[in-house]
Amino acid sequence: MTARPAPEPRRILIVRLSAIGDIVMASGLIPALRQRFAQAQISWVCEAGCAPLLKHHPDLHEVIIWPRGEWEALKKAKRWGELWRAVRSFKAQMKARGFDLVLDGQGLMKSGLIGWFTGAPRRVSIIAREGSHLLAHEVVTPPSSDAPVIGSEYRFLAGYLGAAEGAFQLNLAVGVAPLAKAREAVAGHVRPLVALCPFTTRPQKHWVEAHWPQLAQALYDRGLQPVMLGGPADVEAAQRIAAAAPGLLNLVGKLKLDETVALISICQRLIGVDTGLTHMGTALKLPTLALFGSTRPYLHGPTPSTQVMYDALPCSPCRRNPTCNGRFDCMAQLTVQRVLDAALALPEAA
């Protein structure tokens, strides 16, 4: 499949509103677009909570916040007139920016509408769903694969637009101020840092909680400094894990999102489940071990420094429909020793 001939765009908009992991995977579009359209301005629209991932990037002209929270509050309060005016104002602002190429990396009605608001003469959507194909000029459907590479659908989009082979590389930028905060958070810890990322939104994607303190202590006993990362919602579980691992540095809930990116960038390795923080390790070219069971978004990283640990059980991947009555066999059989050995054997970043 090849794209139709079109004038070279001057202003490009990427629409990927959430979530953290998806935005990390889609970040490879930035260098791919920069290579393909060297003179174009590249902007990105996302939800406020994800903006810190993008705001430090030198190749982004602008990070635009979709005010979803404001709109939902007005809807809940049934302030329909104010909601209509807010939506109309946002639409006018998007149209005034003069985008001539919009890439909908979400393929939903909400992302399609934002692309349509721009009035761009060329709007390309990945796997358009919920009727969003009606709001795009072109729909790109990546081929299925039994062994996908991280960010495979966005890679396909980059190739569809004519980016060179290899131009797509997950690409996060580290801000100066967040890096200073990250260094302050680990001040006094002189051992090589290993990031541990145990938390995500679905229980079937979690590794056995009792395994994390064992892994952390084993790393510490080998001269490394395990650092646990996560968000405010993970604090209670993190406290349980940290209480059982005296050598573990618990920074869960203590860093902002861009500070977490910066902290990961100064680690030597990362071990995590299928979550956005784990994908950050790959984006930052860190030796990364990803523990998969119920999900299989990718089996290969872009380089050997990202390794996926995944046992293809007959029930895997079950995604959102576990059949094991809460045993989560796919994750339980990843023993501490297996994970430790694989983490210590990770190839250095290329």
Side-chain angles (χ1 to χ4, degrees):
M1 186 177 187
T2 57
R4 68 181 186 184
E8 292 289 284
R10 297 172 297 112
R11 296 182 180 87
I12 302 172
L13 178 67
I14 300 169
V15 183
R16 179 73 228 194
L17 306 173
S18 63
I20 290 172
D22 295 297
I23 287 181
V24 173
M25 291 191 190
S27 67
L29 288 170
I30 301 172
L33 292 171
R34 175 57 60 231
Q35 181 275 326
R36 175 64 182 87
F37 306 110
Q39 304 305 314
Q41 290 181 349
I42 304 170
S43 298
W44 195 308
V45 59
C46 65
E47 295 183 25
C50 295
L53 285 174
L54 301 166
K55 69 178 184 179
H56 302 287
H57 206 295
D59 281 331
L60 285 179
H61 173 69
E62 185 180 16
V63 177
I64 303 165
I65 305 299
W66 173 45
R68 175 180 179 173
E70 174 192 339
W71 293 5
E72 289 183 342
L74 291 172
K75 179 181 177 182
K76 185 176 181 180
K78 298 183 179 181
R79 293 156 62 180
W80 306 114
E82 289 182 57
L83 175 60
W84 169 245
R85 287 190 290 274
V87 173
R88 187 173 61 181
S89 173
F90 183 75
K91 178 182 177 182
Q93 293 170 34
M94 296 300 291
K95 188 173 182 62
R97 285 174 166 88
F99 294 114
D100 38 28
L101 172 60
V102 171
L103 307 177
D104 179 358
Q106 203 146 355
L108 300 177
M109 180 57 71
K110 60 186 179 183
S111 56
L113 273 171
I114 290 173
W116 179 75
F117 283 171
T118 68
R122 188 183 184 197
R123 301 189 295 275
V124 183
S125 176
I126 294 179
I127 322 174
R129 292 160 289 180
E130 301 178 349
S132 62
H133 65 283
L134 300 172
L135 304 171
H137 301 109
E138 304 163 47
V139 174
V140 176
T141 303
S144 60
S145 172
D146 291 331
V149 178
I150 187 169
S152 56
E153 64 271 39
Y154 307 111
R155 290 174 187 275
F156 186 79
L157 176 58
Y160 173 82
L161 294 168
E165 185 76 23
F168 183 98
Q169 295 288 333
L170 272 61
N171 197 258
L172 294 180
V174 177
V176 174
L179 182 58
K181 286 287 187 180
R183 293 191 185 281
E184 181 182 325
V186 295
H189 296 274
V190 297
R191 296 172 176 225
L193 303 174
V194 180
L196 302 183
C197 304
F199 308 111
T200 186
T201 53
R202 284 183 264 155
Q204 63 267 31
K205 293 178 13 176
H206 286 159
W207 195 33
V208 179
E209 184 177 303
H211 287 357
W212 285 108
Q214 296 176 45
L215 176 65
Q217 202 59 42
L219 291 166
Y220 187 83
D221 291 343
R222 284 161 176 77
L224 303 170
Q225 178 58 66
V227 182
M228 186 163 51
L229 301 173
D234 308 317
V235 168
E236 184 176 343
Q239 289 172 343
R240 292 195 301 267
I241 293 170
L248 176 61
L249 175 59
N250 179 14
L251 296 182
V252 173
K254 298 178 182 179
L255 298 173
K256 297 177 181 177
L257 186 56
D258 51 358
E259 293 166 0
T260 298
V261 173
L263 193 286
I264 290 173
S265 77
I266 60 175
C267 290
Q268 289 198 356
R269 298 171 192 273
L270 184 148
I271 307 165
V273 297
D274 178 13
T275 186
L277 271 61
T278 300
H279 309 324
M280 289 178 194
T282 296
L284 294 164
K285 299 180 173 54
L286 206 70
T288 297
L289 181 65
L291 311 181
F292 285 7
S294 67
T295 55
R296 193 189 60 175
Y298 61 91
L299 290 180
H300 302 285
T303 67
S305 60
T306 290
Q307 298 283 326
V308 172
M309 183 169 280
Y310 171 76
D311 292 340
L313 300 184
C315 57
S316 299
C318 64
R319 298 182 174 86
R320 296 178 182 271
N321 300 292
T323 59
C324 59
N325 297 317
R327 296 189 311 272
F328 306 135
D329 302 327
C330 55
M331 298 300 279
Q333 70 179 34
L334 302 180
T335 65
V336 174
Q337 192 62 52
R338 286 182 64 191
V339 173
L340 177 65
D341 291 344
L344 295 177
L346 283 170
E348 295 299 322

